[in-house]
Amino acid sequence: MPGMKPGPDSVGIFAISHSCSGVAARACGLVSLEPSKIAEILKDRPSWFRDCRSLEVFTMFPAGNGGTVELLYTQIYAPTTLAPARDFWTLRYTTSLDNGSLVVCERSLSGSGAGPNTAAAAQFVRAEMLPSGYLIRPCEGGGSIIHIVDHLNLEAWSVPEVLRPLYESSRVVAQKMTIAALRYIRQIAQETSGEVVYGLGRQPAVLRTFSQRLSRGFNDAINGFNDDGWSLMNCDGAEDVIIAVNSTKNLNTTSNPANSLTLPGGVLCAKASMLLQNVPPAVLVRFLREHRSEWADFSVDAYSAASLKASPYSYPGMRPTRFTGSQIIMPLGHTIEHEELLEVIRLEGHSLAHEDAFMSRDIHLLQICSGVDENAVGACSELVFAPIDEMFPDDAPLLPSGFRIIPLDSKSGDTQETLTTHRTLDLTSSLEVGPATNQAAGDSSSCYNTRSVLTIAFQFPFESNLQDNVATMARQYVRSVISSVQRVAMAISPSGLGPAVGPKLSAGSPEALTLAHWICQSYSYHVGAELLRSDSVGGDSVLKNLWHHQDAILCCSLKSLPVLIFANQAGLDMLETTLVALQDISLDKIFDESGRKGLCADFAKIMQQGFAYLPAGICMSTMGRHVSYEQAIAWKVLAAEENTVHCLAFSFINWSFV
């Protein structure tokens, strides 16, 4: 790059593609390392790419000009519980140029053969790496200039539609791979030069390993690969929280496999994913980090910490203890751009037993927090933690749990070459919110309309005879955490008052109350029965009772392409969506083919006589899950004058996930 000189103020330049197939990003930057060292780091993808589960070199042979060609098999973690992981078969070519530059090129092989472990092949979708790689040029004054190109086809068709923006966004690839690679190399360069000083007298490499192990353990919990020993426990598709169990006795939770932890039973993982709207991920993660007592049960932290000891009864957390609710954050280190923090959390506890009054009952957690910069476009935000011994040994066993929030950027947003401030919207669907307020047009923090997906995973060690009890506790605890996070999301939502249904209708507005009256009155008028009990339709209570009705009630507009404009809580649960997201869902996306045909056949009947009974069938949630229902009723919703059709309403009776 013309005029670029080695120096501490040199910065990288990043770009994303908006006109190619797949997703692509590139970067250029200056690093004070030699080309051979940089190539060695970049080729070791699992060391810097947190989503890389494994990279195996199956064969290597020499090529011309002293180069090498390698056959690689790579596995990439799925970032949520809602989609399968990815794998690649690629060829990688490394060579030197006459000017001293190093070139590493990689691209996928044609064909769709399974990975080396056929038993685990079903948990992966074959993705494609288009021509990608690195050009590393030495500088006269020392150091190197690196050019990085990442170009992938992540097969977005294989994930639920609501998640496809995540697999179609070049911004996400830029953050997770391209920028991450350059940041990691700079981190190594600074550590090598001795510029980085960390807490507790630990070497940078040790702390970096802790961060990698926390991230890897969290990814393993989310993905639950069969070849790691994970299996689903009593999963019938209807549960909002997935329980997976790993009964591997020697669970490798340490940095040294020889020191793997022997557990008397195994590990349970309770995990879930959900949509958030109207909450910036960075703000939510910062709140979760700084206000742990708002969502966590410290006694559960104590249980997990005690279970990782050789003898649970020797650990003070298992004895009667009162936790103060306060936490002390002790920084250990951070990356050079502060995009990731490594810290120890001390939860203060006091013994309730007289004889132990002077013994410490504190719980210690090792924690990484990342993605707290609201200006980082396409970056995910994470808070991952694991109980750790207060002596903090280098090979301490780690069993990570935590949160991951990923913005679901729209593909159209990638057409902007300048990476501007990117914020996301929050999940709030309670009745107590008022109408959404209009933000000033010049307020950049309010000019966004994207969603994010929150993934939660908590791991719990257990003894064999207590597996069912721990599973029940884990499910209840994660549901409690989800409820707390939703309350927090509402409180910190930039809109302040929650979502709106369509341009004017919000859950607590007068318009919503009016619509609720119209729905009930029209049902009674057309069907000849009461939707709600007669004593629950007066005044404001009609909206509350409609909201909590056991059947899923949906309303759609009467347009050429009908879209949903309202749903009660059961309707939102059935569709696995939120009030704000409803306006993005068209009616035809809910029903399967036979359901759409049946609705078209009955449409004239609905408009003529005012209602129709629809037979039992199958519909689809926004997450791609099938939902069965015993019967559905469709009816016209009339405005107060009873001569204007406002919308169509549907009631799905006795629905459940298949």
Side-chain angles (χ1 to χ4, degrees):
M1 298 177 63
M4 226 177 163
K5 302 291 183 184
D9 297 326
S10 301
V11 296
I13 294 177
F14 307 93
I16 57 174
S17 172
H18 58 83
S19 60
C20 67
S21 61
V23 288
R26 67 171 184 249
C28 178
L30 180 64
V31 178
S32 57
L33 289 175
E34 296 304 309
S36 58
K37 177 64 174 176
I38 294 172
E40 177 187 341
I41 293 171
L42 290 173
K43 292 172 73 172
D44 183 18
R45 190 173 287 129
S47 69
W48 56 265
F49 183 26
R50 293 287 177 84
D51 286 358
C52 184
R53 183 194 186 207
S54 64
L55 186 152
E56 298 179 66
V57 180
F58 273 83
T59 186
M60 180 174 63
F61 52 89
N65 300 324
T68 59
V69 175
E70 300 163 290
L71 173 63
L72 309 179
Y73 175 69
T74 305
Q75 292 180 342
I76 306 297
Y77 289 112
T80 75
T81 62
L82 303 173
R86 294 326 194 227
D87 64 355
F88 301 84
W89 276 108
T90 58
L91 282 178
R92 184 169 67 188
Y93 174 51
T94 306
T95 191
S96 300
L97 304 182
D98 293 338
N99 62 1
S101 298
L102 275 175
V103 180
V104 181
C105 307
E106 188 174 356
R107 72 164 297 164
S108 284
L109 293 169
S110 59
S112 56
N117 186 343
T118 54
Q123 292 184 279
F124 292 89
V125 169
R126 179 61 40 79
E128 180 184 10
M129 180 181 290
L130 293 100
S132 305
Y134 319 106
L135 169 62
I136 310 165
R137 296 191 288 140
C139 296
E140 291 183 6
S144 307
I145 293 177
I146 315 170
H147 296 266
I148 302 175
V149 174
D150 293 306
H151 191 181
L152 306 172
N153 179 358
L154 297 174
E155 306 295 344
W157 60 268
S158 64
V159 303
E161 185 173 356
V162 70
L163 285 185
R164 288 180 189 172
L166 179 60
Y167 290 78
E168 295 173 338
S169 173
S170 293
R171 299 179 177 194
V172 173
V173 171
Q175 286 285 356
K176 285 181 170 288
M177 293 185 67
T178 320
I179 297 175
L182 194 53
R183 281 175 170 167
Y184 185 81
I185 294 169
R186 285 194 173 133
Q187 185 78 24
I188 298 297
Q190 287 206 3
E191 291 175 3
T192 303
S193 66
E195 298 177 35
V196 181
V197 178
Y198 285 104
L200 300 186
R202 299 304 172 106
Q203 292 297 318
V206 173
L207 299 181
R208 192 167 62 247
T209 300
F210 271 128
S211 297
Q212 291 168 344
R213 288 173 53 208
L214 282 171
S215 181
R216 182 178 184 85
F218 186 56
N219 277 321
D220 283 334
I222 290 173
N223 285 259
F225 292 116
N226 296 335
D227 56 354
D228 281 341
W230 290 98
S231 60
L232 295 181
M233 179 179 175
N234 300 329
C235 183
D236 57 6
E239 286 289 349
D240 53 342
V241 177
I242 300 170
I243 302 293
V245 60
N246 190 329
S247 298
T248 305
K249 299 297 183 182
N250 295 318
L251 192 65
N252 183 17
T253 59
T254 74
S255 56
N256 182 1
N259 296 332
S260 58
L261 181 69
T262 301
L263 297 172
V267 175
L268 277 165
C269 179
K271 50 191 175 181
S273 293
M274 70 204 74
L275 285 177
L276 294 181
Q277 302 205 43
N278 216 23
V279 165
V283 177
L284 179 55
V285 161
R286 283 204 303 267
F287 187 95
L288 296 175
R289 170 179 175 262
E290 297 167 7
H291 303 276
R292 188 179 185 89
S293 60
E294 293 290 334
W295 57 267
D297 184 339
F298 289 178
S299 63
V300 173
D301 292 320
Y303 164 80
S304 297
S307 300
L308 289 176
K309 300 288 179 179
S311 173
Y313 304 104
S314 67
Y315 189 74
M318 293 300 288
R319 299 179 183 178
T321 303
R322 176 178 61 85
F323 291 97
T324 64
S326 64
Q327 63 174 4
I328 298 175
I329 300 178
M330 298 176 285
L332 287 178
H334 54 77
T335 50
I336 56 176
E337 296 182 26
H338 292 259
E339 72 276 3
E340 182 176 278
L341 309 173
L342 178 67
E343 51 205 13
V344 171
I345 310 300
R346 191 176 82 206
L347 310 178
E348 295 184 329
H350 301 289
S351 174
L352 296 181
H354 252 325
E355 62 272 19
D356 298 329
F358 299 102
M359 293 183 64
S360 171
R361 293 292 178 268
D362 296 345
I363 306 298
H364 293 82
L365 305 172
L366 184 66
Q367 177 172 280
I368 54 172
C369 180
S370 61
V372 294
D373 180 6
E374 295 176 58
N375 296 320
V377 180
C380 77
S381 301
E382 288 185 345
L383 186 71
V384 180
F385 47 87
I388 193 168
D389 186 274
E390 61 182 359
M391 300 306 294
F392 193 43
D394 292 352
D395 61 348
L398 298 178
L399 208 57
S401 303
F403 308 86
R404 171 180 292 152
I405 313 170
I406 311 173
L408 294 175
D409 194 13
S410 62
K411 188 172 183 181
S412 60
D414 284 346
T415 59
Q416 298 178 346
E417 295 231 5
T418 304
L419 302 188
T420 55
T421 302
H422 177 72
R423 305 184 69 182
T424 55
L425 300 173
D426 151 334
L427 170 85
T428 50
S429 55
S430 85
L431 284 169
E432 285 70 32
V433 296
T437 57
N438 292 323
Q439 301 289 334
D443 183 2
S444 62
S445 67
S446 63
C447 298
Y448 53 84
N449 186 26
T450 56
R451 295 172 286 180
S452 56
V453 60
L454 166 67
T455 297
I456 298 175
F458 280 74
Q459 297 193 75
F460 304 89
F462 66 89
E463 296 185 20
S464 299
N465 61 327
L466 297 176
Q467 176 176 319
D468 290 340
N469 293 344
V470 175
T472 300
M473 180 273 290
R475 181 179 287 111
Q476 292 174 347
Y477 181 59
V478 169
R479 284 176 176 163
S480 171
V481 171
I482 291 171
S483 177
S484 299
V485 171
Q486 289 176 342
R487 288 196 302 271
V488 170
M490 177 178 291
I492 66 177
S493 169
S495 64
L497 293 174
V501 183
K504 298 180 180 178
L505 186 64
S506 66
S509 67
E511 292 86 353
L513 180 59
T514 300
L515 178 59
H517 279 288
W518 290 352
I519 291 171
C520 295
Q521 291 168 359
S522 299
Y523 184 92
S524 176
Y525 177 78
H526 292 302
V527 183
E530 298 296 332
L531 182 62
L532 301 176
R533 298 194 319 270
S534 58
D535 59 348
S536 62
V537 295
D540 295 348
S541 63
V542 63
L543 177 56
K544 184 174 182 180
N545 286 286
L546 184 68
W547 180 264
H548 293 293
H549 197 282
Q550 62 182 1
D551 297 332
I553 298 173
L554 312 176
C555 293
C556 73
S557 61
L558 281 174
K559 298 180 180 179
S560 56
L561 182 63
V563 296
L564 299 182
I565 61 172
F566 180 80
N568 68 347
Q569 183 62 65
L572 296 178
D573 292 343
M574 183 183 78
L575 296 179
E576 296 185 290
T577 188
T578 63
L579 284 172
V580 172
L582 274 179
Q583 55 193 320
D584 297 327
I585 304 172
S586 58
L587 188 63
D588 65 305
K589 290 181 180 179
I590 296 177
F591 294 98
D592 61 6
E593 186 64 28
S594 61
R596 284 192 291 268
K597 289 181 179 178
L599 181 61
C600 289
D602 287 329
F603 185 77
K605 181 179 179 181
I606 297 171
M607 299 307 293
Q608 183 175 0
Q609 76 174 34
F611 78 103
Y613 289 99
L614 306 179
I618 299 290
C619 59
M620 189 83 68
S621 81
T622 58
M623 295 298 183
R625 289 209 284 176
H626 290 87
V627 181
S628 66
Y629 55 91
E630 291 184 5
Q631 188 184 52
I633 304 175
W635 70 97
K636 292 190 298 185
V637 175
L638 303 177
E641 300 81 16
E642 295 192 1
N643 56 7
T644 303
V645 180
H646 180 74
C647 61
L648 285 184
F650 296 84
S651 177
F652 295 87
I653 301 169
N654 291 336
W655 65 272
S656 63
F657 290 108
V658 178

